[in-house]
Amino acid sequence: MKLWSANVLATIAAISLLLAVTSGQPKAKPNNGKKRLRENVARRDKNTANSKKANVKKAPAAAGSQLNKKATAPALEGCEEIFLPMCKGLVPYTHTKLPNQFNHSTQLEVYRHMEHLWAYMDHSCSRNLRLVACSLYLPKCQGKQPPLGPCKATCVRAKKKCAQPLKDYMALDWDKKFDCTTLPNKRCLKAVKDEECIDEYPTCASNSNIKVCTGLSISQGALPNMFGQCKVDEINMETSQFEKLIATNCHSGLKFLLCGVYSPFCVRNAATDIPFTFPCKEICEEVRKSCEPHYRKLYHQLPWPNKLQCHRYPSAASSDTTCVMPTDPMTF
């Protein structure tokens, strides 16, 4: 019995020793030298593993950066940023390449040929009207590749929506201005999505969402405006180009003029049933006299904007029409 117990105990001891060895728990305590060696090896292996992980994570980013550089660098070669106010920020690209197909070599030269189209481009019939006009004269730059103009389908789409309204309201012959048949079907600018005006005729509403109108005593404006613009985001984009001019403080009435031009003031007057009116010709002339030199200096020697030509607006001395000055009392 005692012998059997001794054998059992010996077997248990042997099994315990085997488990201790296979589980990494040595029976004898290792000396400090071996322990430090194992710790150093483990630390080195851990650092190596972390370094490999870091390299694996960084590699795609570096490769992506190189790909982005390869993709974007050629696109800017030979390009120039668009600064003409009828196109800047209002078409789905920012840079052009000159000379264009009409052999215009500068944007100032392009402006002289496009200025008469500005009023047409603002018409709310289709956003593709502006895209066609701008990309014909200021094609999208593609770096070393040929610049892109409008697609034939883009022109046809704009024509369907705009040819008749522009003929009725502005006596524009579409085919004489924009010959869609000569435009390409590939490697060109596709049509953009159209957004129609909610109201066909000018309707008064708060002008607080038009940035150039903030801080003025007149809180109501009418849209569509005299140019056919009804989208606040497009008006804000276009008027944002005047921010540098406003910052010069060239005239205290500049914001008043801009606000009344882009969103005519809703001011009721006993002399007329029309619920909105414009800034007077007199304030326009004052602003132009003070601000035009600054405008030319800030905006690449461009002439005073066509939309701010003062002959468009009624005179304060006229008995047939009404207008408002910054000092007039405002009521709605």
Side-chain angles (χ1 to χ4, degrees):
M1 187 70 175
K2 289 181 181 179
L3 181 61
W4 179 84
S5 298
N7 290 337
V8 171
L9 291 175
T11 303
I12 292 174
I15 294 174
S16 299
L17 179 60
L18 179 62
L19 290 175
V21 172
T22 55
S23 63
Q25 298 176 2
K27 182 177 180 182
K29 185 176 180 180
N31 61 51
N32 291 336
K34 291 182 178 179
K35 181 179 180 181
R36 283 196 296 271
L37 178 61
R38 282 201 303 273
E39 289 175 348
N40 290 338
V41 171
R43 190 180 298 112
R44 182 195 63 193
D45 292 343
K46 183 178 181 181
N47 291 339
T48 302
N50 289 338
S51 177
K52 289 180 178 179
K53 288 180 180 179
N55 290 336
V56 170
K57 291 180 180 179
K58 291 179 181 178
S65 300
Q66 291 176 357
L67 289 174
N68 289 337
K69 288 180 180 179
K70 290 180 181 179
T72 57
L76 296 177
E77 187 174 341
C79 303
E80 57 183 274
E81 187 174 358
I82 294 172
F83 60 78
L84 299 193
M86 66 281 286
C87 300
K88 181 180 179 180
L90 301 171
V91 290
Y93 59 96
T94 58
H95 288 71
T96 188
K97 191 171 188 178
L98 297 174
N100 59 20
Q101 62 176 314
F102 308 107
N103 206 32
H104 302 146
S105 58
T106 67
Q107 290 194 53
L108 185 58
E109 186 179 2
V110 170
Y111 181 87
R112 296 191 185 103
H113 289 83
M114 287 190 69
E115 187 176 15
H116 72 286
L117 297 174
W118 196 348
Y120 304 136
M121 285 188 271
D122 286 334
H123 199 282
S124 58
C125 57
S126 174
R127 294 173 64 190
N128 289 293
L129 172 58
R130 187 186 304 276
L131 179 58
V132 169
C134 288
S135 59
L136 277 175
Y137 287 87
L138 295 172
K140 180 180 180 180
C141 186
Q142 295 289 293
K144 293 182 179 180
Q145 299 298 319
L148 302 182
C151 292
K152 179 179 179 180
T154 305
C155 182
V156 170
R157 183 170 176 176
K159 179 180 179 179
K160 286 181 179 179
K161 292 192 173 185
C162 298
Q164 194 60 48
L166 293 180
K167 182 178 181 180
D168 294 341
Y169 300 132
M170 302 177 180
L172 173 73
D173 187 326
W174 182 276
D175 292 326
K176 288 184 178 180
K177 291 292 182 183
F178 312 110
D179 186 0
C180 300
T181 61
T182 63
L183 300 177
N185 294 313
K186 297 180 179 180
R187 286 195 51 78
C188 50
L189 297 175
K190 296 181 180 180
V192 295
K193 184 179 179 181
D194 276 320
E195 297 180 14
E196 297 181 359
C197 291
I198 298 175
D199 299 301
E200 182 179 359
Y201 300 103
T203 303
C204 290
S206 172
N207 60 15
S208 60
N209 53 357
I210 298 177
K211 295 178 181 179
V212 78
C213 295
T214 57
L216 300 180
S217 59
I218 303 178
S219 60
Q220 298 281 323
L223 291 177
N225 59 25
M226 65 185 295
F227 311 109
Q229 294 172 295
C230 64
K231 300 300 178 184
V232 171
D233 58 341
E234 289 188 2
I235 291 174
N236 280 334
M237 177 61 70
E238 186 172 331
T239 54
S240 69
Q241 299 177 40
F242 293 101
E243 289 177 355
K244 291 181 180 179
L245 187 64
I246 294 171
T248 66
N249 295 314
C250 56
H251 195 285
S252 60
L254 176 58
K255 284 187 65 177
F256 177 88
L257 175 64
L258 291 171
C259 179
V261 167
Y262 284 91
S263 180
F265 299 127
C266 287
V267 179
R268 293 196 180 277
N269 189 294
T272 178
D273 292 331
I274 300 175
F276 61 88
T277 188
F278 300 97
C280 293
K281 177 182 178 181
E282 287 76 6
I283 184 61
C284 178
E285 290 174 339
E286 288 181 21
V287 170
R288 178 172 182 173
K289 183 178 180 180
S290 298
C291 297
E292 186 171 12
H294 297 276
Y295 183 86
R296 285 184 172 274
K297 184 178 180 180
L298 289 169
Y299 302 101
H300 308 273
Q301 296 301 312
L302 287 177
W304 188 247
N306 184 273
K307 290 185 177 181
L308 303 183
Q309 297 295 328
C310 300
H311 69 272
R312 293 177 178 272
Y313 306 107
S315 171
S318 174
S319 58
D320 298 329
T321 56
T322 60
C323 62
V324 289
M325 294 287 287
T327 54
D328 290 345
M330 308 299 175
T331 58
F332 175 74

